[in-house]
Amino acid sequence: MHRSARTHGGRLRPLAGGARRCLSALLLSCVAAWSHGLDPDKALHHYVVHEWKLDAGLPQVQVTAVTQGPDGYMWVGTRGGLARFDGVRFRTFVPEDTPGLQGMIVRALQTDRRGRLWIGTYKGVTVFEDGEFRALDLLDESDGAPVAVDVRDFAERPDGEMIVATDRGLLVSNGDRLVRWRTADTPFH
């Protein structure tokens, strides 16, 4: 009886043991060629992983978002506030001491092409620019009062506008406030 890889009734027949081993060896050699080992010119301590917790200044251990700013700082969102990490220590920002920060539970972080940090919380959007935190509000269409929005994510359009995914639908930045995104007004390219 002759075995082949031809289909029989729409199904492939299993490969014989030797062919299976040959195919496995070929796949492993391809993976090995693509993978990279440790750089032999670096000392082992360059590969040590650090773990940062509350004692290092992290406001809360459950990290919900991370991004890097154009200045090299790492920004970390947690359920207990926002933190900026300089490689050694964290500096914490919470609404009580940071007036523009909309809420303590940070859900999303995004750095835009202008170098601004966008912070999404369960209460709204804050932008960090030139060392200042500034809240962006969605205004109620009936009375003009600010409306809290639960931010889920950000996406920057090619024209630089920021689209904000919230529990109230998609919003778009418009100067110092947020407006509802309407597909007829601002096509997504």
Side-chain angles (χ1 to χ4, degrees):
M1 177 178 243
H2 180 348
R3 289 198 158 218
S4 71
R6 293 182 181 248
T7 61
H8 176 53
R11 295 181 307 184
L12 284 175
R13 289 184 183 180
L15 294 173
R20 188 175 320 135
R21 282 189 294 276
C22 185
L23 182 60
S24 296
L26 177 64
L27 288 173
L28 282 174
S29 66
C30 289
V31 170
W34 291 325
S35 66
H36 303 288
L38 298 178
D39 184 348
D41 296 329
K42 287 189 175 182
L44 187 59
H45 73 272
H46 289 127
Y47 297 102
V48 175
V49 175
H50 293 282
E51 182 178 81
W52 290 280
K53 296 181 180 179
L54 298 174
D55 58 352
L58 193 61
Q60 206 262 349
V61 294
Q62 187 176 6
V63 173
T64 55
V66 177
T67 192
Q68 185 171 17
D71 55 4
Y73 286 113
M74 294 300 297
W75 290 89
V76 181
T78 72
R79 297 182 59 79
L82 177 69
R84 185 177 70 191
F85 185 62
D86 64 8
V88 177
R89 66 188 61 83
F90 290 94
R91 177 172 177 208
T92 301
F93 302 92
V94 293
E96 291 78 26
D97 62 20
T98 310
L101 190 57
Q102 293 270 30
M104 184 169 291
I105 301 172
V106 177
R107 297 197 192 276
L109 294 172
Q110 172 88 19
T111 305
D112 69 12
R113 67 181 62 143
R114 291 176 41 192
R116 299 177 299 178
L117 174 67
W118 291 75
I119 305 148
T121 71
Y122 71 106
K123 288 188 174 182
V125 175
T126 300
V127 176
F128 179 74
E129 181 178 24
D130 298 325
E132 299 288 326
F133 289 90
R134 176 175 43 91
L136 296 181
D137 291 318
L138 172 66
L139 302 178
D140 187 282
E141 294 174 0
S142 63
D143 64 5
V147 176
V149 294
D150 189 352
V151 177
R152 307 300 166 89
D153 206 357
F154 296 104
E156 187 174 9
R157 290 172 34 102
D159 64 7
E161 281 187 327
M162 191 62 73
I163 303 292
V164 184
T166 74
D167 61 331
R168 297 181 179 265
L170 292 177
L171 307 176
V172 64
S173 60
N174 185 355
D176 285 341
R177 64 189 183 103
L178 299 170
V179 296
R180 295 196 187 283
W181 185 65
R182 295 181 189 3
T183 55
D185 300 335
T186 53
F188 213 139
H189 294 265

